[in-house]
Amino acid sequence: MTLWKLFTASLSSPKKLAAFRLAPMGKTMQYIFLFITLFTLLGFFQFTTQIGPSTTELDGVLEYFNEINWLLYPFAFLLLFIIQTLLIFARISLLSGIVWLLAPLVKKRGDYRFLWRTTLFANTWSFILLLVSYMFIGEIVSIQWLSYALTLILALWALKYYPKLPKKS
């Protein structure tokens, strides 16, 4: 399955989100690193366009940036990529842990590894919401919380299509 098909299917139905629990880990990692790269490029673009005007108030900082310009941008891009990777993996892990704790309450069998994949694909709408808001509005805490809630709702909705817990004898 191509990344485009994964993207469009993750936007359309919770049943497909639940089915993605069986997706190969390689495709899952390609999918997540696509969004990590998009967030990194957006952050790097904001960094490069805002470095001049925001640092002119500080004496000597702009001259220092001009001296180490060849080193600053690759290091900033690499640092942004590492931080974005850490934050997105932590976000998905935390949200899938919440869904994992709620799975027995709805009497569904959910291994953490499967719920992690489902939560990743449930994050698609949230990633789009965050990308658009960062590009046009900026970082707003209420949009972050809205994206967490949206992901949890979609992941719990997809949990409805998971296998039932076995009956206790």
Side-chain angles (χ1 to χ4, degrees), residues 95-111:
L95 293 174
S96 60
I98 293 170
V99 175
W100 179 73
L101 290 173
L102 296 175
L105 297 176
V106 293
K107 296 181 173 73
K108 295 295 181 176
R109 184 178 64 207
D111 292 343

Side-chain angles (χ1 to χ4, degrees), residues 113-139:
R113 62 189 170 133
F114 294 141
L115 290 170
W116 195 91
R117 291 178 192 162
T118 299
T119 306
L120 164 67
F121 290 108
N123 255 312
T124 303
W125 279 108
S126 296
F127 286 154
I128 292 170
L129 173 70
L130 290 173
L131 279 171
V132 169
S133 71
Y134 288 162
M135 287 189 334
F136 298 114
I137 301 171
E139 189 171 349

Side-chain angles (χ1 to χ4, degrees), residues 24-103:
M25 199 58 169
K27 278 294 178 191
T28 306
M29 288 296 125
Q30 286 178 358
Y31 190 78
I32 192 171
F33 276 104
L34 174 71
F35 280 106
I36 289 170
T37 304
L38 288 174
F39 277 109
T40 302
L41 289 172
L42 178 64
F44 186 70
F45 177 73
Q46 289 176 346
F47 171 74
T48 56
T49 58
Q50 295 174 359
I51 195 168
S54 64
T55 56
T56 54
E57 295 91 33
L58 304 173
D59 294 331
V61 174
L62 193 57
E63 292 86 24
Y64 179 71
F65 280 156
N66 288 333
E67 289 175 13
I68 63 165
N69 200 13
W70 62 274
L71 181 64
L72 181 67
Y73 292 119
F75 181 71
F77 184 80
L78 183 65
L79 187 64
L80 275 170
F81 188 80
I82 291 169
I83 290 172
Q84 289 293 345
T85 303
L86 176 71
L87 291 175
I88 289 177
F89 270 89
R91 171 195 174 102
I92 293 169
S93 299
L94 179 70
L95 293 174
S96 60
I98 293 170
V99 175
W100 179 73
L101 290 173
L102 296 175

